[in-house]
Amino acid sequence: KKFFTTLAPRAKSEPCWPKFFPWSHPRLSLKAITYAVFMVKHRMRPTFLFATSLSISSRLSPRLRFQSSLGAKIHRNGENGLIILTPDDSSKHSATVILCHGLGDTAVGWLDPAQYLSKQLPHVKFVLPTAPTQPVTLNMGFAMPSWYDIVGLDSRSNEICNGLDESMNTILSLVENEVHPEENGLSPLGPQNSIDYRRIVLAGFSQGGALALYTGMTQTRKNKGLGLAGILVLSGYLPRSKQFAIAPGSESTPILHCHGKEDLVVPVEAASMSRARVSALFEKMGGKKESYEVKLYSGLDHSVSMEELNDVVAFLKRVIPQESVEPKVNGDPTMMTVKELKQAIEQAGLEKQARGMMEKSELVNLLITYLNRKGLE
């Protein structure tokens, strides 16, 4: 109790040990107790295990946590932990943000911030994947959600990152599902708008930010860079810095790196080092070093503040502004099956008008009336 109260408190009146590590919890292992004793004996502060495994929602303003995203639908996949927030009106969906959590967290930990962002950006779909659970060397082999293994905190250890390639493939599959939803079928959400690469943003916190940065800058499509709308790094860093190379076509990708000045887990120097490495390659390839923007926050530790989230909103509005989407209805409604009619009605954003309609003829007439009004026949 003394260890968790003195070394990792969130507030004087709210020690974190009863909430996150109750001694009576049946899953508390001997390894966890050994780790705690080791840290106390050597007067060390916990690093990644206790600092980044906390749900990010516990670090945000209480007002934010109780605000629901009225304009978004939440879809959950119990098998892989994937959470997707889609605009209530699917016809407005014109951009996508793929947001990766930090070490030890899950997609659930970022649901509150994603709901807040979704409320400010009603045209954006937010995709929140969950990392596979695997042992992490730095944390004495504890198994936890992790995008890749972390061996140490020094620069040499940062070049290893076993599992990073597999996680990049996972993120790329989510990107491709947005660009070619009819081919991939990774999410049973019904008809979806096809989103161009230039309308997709990769984002992440801590280890998730490192994954987003490395994936967005190095990966390719048809022998050229992804050319995404932007990359958002929150309290993150550049992994495999020595091996890092920007794929041609991605040298102009806007990057926003937000970092707390009091971060003891990923020191604020990581932001300047990441910017220096990426910006140098930007200039070498004909891009602008100003494309990598860093924002620092006084008094902020390894967490997220409302000021930072509002900066994120401003960045997203700049790189993926809201734009009108013309619904695509292919074929003659009178020749469509009931399933095809329902898909076309959802694509046109007519779900509310179709509620209560039981006959096929009613659906056909609704769609024909819509097409006549829009002049899309």
Side-chain angles (χ1 to χ4, degrees), residues 30-83:
L30 178 61
K31 184 180 289 187
I33 298 175
T34 303
Y35 180 82
V37 172
F38 173 84
M39 298 296 285
V40 172
K41 180 178 179 181
H42 294 275
R43 299 178 181 275
M44 296 172 64
R45 184 182 180 91
T47 54
F48 281 84
L49 177 60
F50 302 110
T52 65
S53 63
L54 309 183
S55 170
I56 194 64
S57 60
S58 66
R59 300 284 188 121
L60 295 172
S61 166
R63 289 185 298 173
L64 174 59
R65 278 184 276 161
F66 291 104
Q67 291 176 348
S68 62
S69 182
L70 300 178
K73 299 176 183 177
I74 301 176
H75 311 265
R76 301 173 187 261
N77 188 323
E79 296 182 1
N80 58 18
L82 182 71
I83 297 179

Side-chain angles (χ1 to χ4, degrees), residues 13 16 24 87-88 103 114 122 158 184 189-190 227 230 273 284 318 323 343 371:
S13 60
C16 70
S24 60
D88 185 54
L103 177 66
N158 192 39
N184 292 274
L189 302 181
M273 293 173 63
K284 187 176 181 180
R318 175 166 61 87
E323 61 181 25
Q343 290 178 344
L371 292 174

Side-chain angles (χ1 to χ4, degrees), residues 170-329:
T170 298
I171 302 306
L172 284 175
S173 67
L174 294 175
V175 171
E176 291 300 322
N177 189 51
E178 295 303 304
V179 180
H180 307 290
E182 71 285 351
E183 298 179 5
N184 292 274
L186 296 178
S187 178
L189 302 181
Q192 301 179 67
N193 294 333
S194 176
I195 305 301
D196 190 88
Y197 291 97
R198 293 171 296 179
R199 298 284 296 171
I200 297 175
V201 172
L202 292 187
F205 175 79
S206 193
Q207 189 191 47
L211 173 64
L213 178 58
Y214 202 86
T215 303
M217 287 285 94
T218 65
Q219 298 306 291
T220 61
R221 56 180 175 95
K222 298 181 179 179
N223 299 320
K224 64 178 181 179
L226 296 178
L228 301 175
I231 296 174
L232 181 61
V233 183
L234 306 177
S235 303
Y237 55 94
L238 176 65
R240 292 180 179 173
S241 180
K242 293 181 179 180
Q243 308 173 43
F244 179 75
I246 299 175
S250 293
E251 64 273 9
S252 299
T253 303
I255 301 173
L256 175 62
H257 189 142
C258 302
H259 219 110
K261 291 184 178 181
E262 309 304 323
D263 195 331
L264 298 179
V265 178
V266 180
V268 67
E269 290 77 17
S272 58
M273 293 173 63
S274 299
R275 176 174 57 182
R277 175 65 173 145
V278 176
S279 297
L281 292 177
F282 274 167
E283 287 190 303
K284 187 176 181 180
M285 299 177 67
K288 297 180 179 180
K289 65 179 182 180
E290 292 78 13
S291 296
Y292 197 120
E293 180 184 6
V294 172
K295 284 185 175 291
L296 304 180
Y297 302 87
S298 300
L300 182 65
D301 58 2
H302 197 62
S303 57
V304 177
S305 67
M306 283 301 305
E307 179 186 1
E308 184 177 357
L309 280 182
N310 289 330
D311 286 339
V312 168
V313 170
F315 174 75
L316 293 178
K317 286 184 176 180
R318 175 166 61 87
V319 298
I320 46 174
Q322 187 167 2
E323 61 181 25
S324 60
V325 179
E326 289 295 334
K328 297 179 181 179
V329 180

Side-chain angles (χ1 to χ4, degrees), residues 357-370:
M357 294 185 178
M358 305 298 293
E359 299 294 330
K360 178 181 178 180
S361 59
E362 293 178 302
L363 300 177
V364 171
N365 290 335
L366 174 64
L367 197 55
I368 290 177
T369 300
Y370 172 80

